[in-house]
C-alpha cells in the first residue's frame, strides 16, 4: 500500500505569515503548496476587469457562471493563477485587489465555484493549503489543522514592509486600517467566515521568528 501523504490546512487572518510559512514548510516537507487567497484575489481582479461590482449579487452570479480558474505551482513554490486563460499572478498583490478579494469572497457563488478546485488539488494528499476556511469547510478531514495568527499591529507591520519593498506607495497607518477592515469582513461574513476549526492547533506568531514558526509546523505534521 502506498503511504497516504498528509493533508495540512492552515487558516488565519491576513498578514499572519501564512503564505511564506506554508511555502517554506512545503519545500522542506516535500508537500505541494496551494495559496487559496490567490484564487479569491484572481476573481477580485477579474470582477474589476469586467466592471462588475462585488456588491452586485446578480452580476457576480453571471460572472461566476462563466469563470474558468486554473492553478499551477511556480518554480519558487508559489501558486500561479490563470483566469479565463490570463495569468494574473503578478497583478493580484496590490492593496486594491486585497479588498476586492475580500469582497468577492463573501459571495456564495464565488466560494462554491472554488470549492471543487481546492478539493481536487488536495485529493492525492501531500499538500498544504492556506486560507480562511480550509480547516472548517474545504478540508474538514485534514490530517493537521493550524490556525496561524498574530496581533493586528504585527500583521500590519509585516504587510507594510512587504508592500513597501515592492515599491507600493503605502503607509503603515493605511495598512493597519486595511488589515483591520479585512479581518472584520472575513470574520463577519455569513458564508465560511474566518474562524479556527474546533480541532485546529493555534499558533500565535507575534513574538516568534519565522524559522521557529516553520519548525513548529514541521514538528506537527504527521508522518506516514
Ligand atoms: O490570504 P489572502 O490575504 O491572499 O486572501 C485574500 C482574501 O481572500 C481574504 O481577504 C479573504 C479571501 N479568502 C477567503 O475568503 N477564503 C480563503 N480560503 C482564502 C482567502
Amino acid at each position: 500500500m502506498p503511504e497516504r501523504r498528509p493533508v495540512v490546512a492552515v487558516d488565519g487572518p491576513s498578514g499572519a505569515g501564512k503564505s511564506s510559512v506554508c511555502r517554506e514548510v512545503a519545500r522542506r516537507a516535500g508537500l505541494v503548496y496551494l495559496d487559496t487567497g490567490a484564487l479569491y484575489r484572481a476573481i477580485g481582479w477579474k470582477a474589476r476587469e469586467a466592471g462588475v461590482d462585488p456588491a452586485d449579487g446578480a452580476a457576480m452570479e453571471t460572472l461566476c457562471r462563466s469563470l474558468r480558474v486554473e492553478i499551477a505551482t511556480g518554480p519558487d513554490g508559489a501558486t500561479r493563477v490563470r483566469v479565463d486563460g490570463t495569468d494574473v499572478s503578478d497583478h493580484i498583490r496590490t492593496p486594491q485587489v486585497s479588498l476586492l478579494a475580500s469582497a468577492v469572497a463573501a459571495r456564495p457563488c464565488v466560494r462554491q465555484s472554488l470549492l471543487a478546485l481546492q478539493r481536487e488539488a488536495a485529493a492525492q494528499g501531500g499538500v498544504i493549503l492556506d486560507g480562511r476556511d480550509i480547516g472548517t469547510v474545504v478540508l474538514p478531514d485534514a490530517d493537521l489543522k493550524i490556525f496561524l495568527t498574530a496581533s493586528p499591529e504585527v500583521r500590519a507591520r509585516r504587510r507594510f514592509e512587504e508592500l513597501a519593498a515592492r515599491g507600493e506607495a503605502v503607509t503603515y497607518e493605511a495598512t493597519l486600517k486595511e488589515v483591520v477592515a479585512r479581518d472584520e469582513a472575513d470574520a463577519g461574513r455569513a458564508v465560511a467566515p474566518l474562524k479556527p476549526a474546533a480541532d485546529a492547533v493555534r499558533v500565535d506568531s507575534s513574538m516568534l521568528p519565522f524559522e521557529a514558526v516553520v519548525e513548529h509546523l514541521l514538528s506537527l505534521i504527521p508522518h506516514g
Side-chain angles (χ1 to χ4, degrees):
M1 275 268 288
E3 89 183 17
R4 187 176 139 56
R5 312 222 43 233
V7 171
V8 181
V10 179
D11 291 303
S14 60
K18 296 186 300 297
S19 53
S20 43
V21 165
C22 289
R23 212 194 315 172
E24 182 60 9
V25 168
R27 192 182 69 77
R28 292 208 222 162
L31 304 174
V32 172
Y33 167 51
L34 175 59
D35 164 10
T36 67
L39 309 177
Y40 293 90
R41 287 174 179 273
I43 298 183
W45 179 91
K46 178 74 192 185
R48 188 182 60 190
E49 282 290 297
V52 170
D53 178 353
D56 183 341
M60 282 302 298
E61 293 266 353
T62 308
L63 185 79
C64 283
R65 274 197 291 276
S66 68
L67 209 56
R68 192 161 48 88
V69 179
E70 296 160 285
I71 47 175
T73 303
D76 57 354
T79 302
R80 311 277 317 169
V81 197
R82 292 165 76 91
V83 184
D84 297 334
T86 304
D87 187 334
V88 296
S89 316
D90 297 331
H91 311 297
I92 56 176
R93 299 286 158 199
T94 64
Q96 198 199 9
V97 175
S98 297
L99 291 173
L100 283 166
S102 187
V104 298
R107 290 273 149 213
C109 68
V110 170
R111 307 207 71 84
Q112 193 57 39
S113 69
L114 293 176
L115 202 52
L117 182 70
Q118 295 172 83
R119 288 187 176 153
E120 264 163 37
Q124 301 303 314
V127 289
I128 181 166
L129 276 72
D130 82 12
R132 304 293 189 285
D133 63 338
I134 308 302
T136 51
V137 176
V138 179
L139 304 171
D141 297 327
D143 302 297
L144 172 66
K145 298 178 187 176
I146 303 286
F147 195 79
L148 184 62
T149 188
S151 71
E153 291 75 18
V154 167
R155 292 186 287 118
R157 172 67 53 196
R158 289 180 189 154
R159 180 73 80 195
F160 166 68
E161 282 169 3
E162 195 184 302
L163 290 168
R166 281 212 308 270
E168 297 273 345
V170 285
T171 61
Y172 168 75
E173 288 71 25
T175 310
L176 179 60
K177 264 195 199 152
E178 186 224 297
V179 160
V180 171
R182 271 213 291 152
D183 285 356
E184 282 169 8
D186 295 345
R189 69 181 173 226
V191 247
L194 165 68
K195 66 168 182 207
D199 50 349
V201 179
R202 290 168 188 248
V203 179
D204 186 331
S205 72
S206 306
M207 310 292 279
L208 288 176
F210 174 78
E211 179 60 22
V213 179
V214 169
E215 279 177 14
H216 185 44
L217 262 62
L218 284 169
S219 76
L220 294 171
I221 294 177
H223 295 284

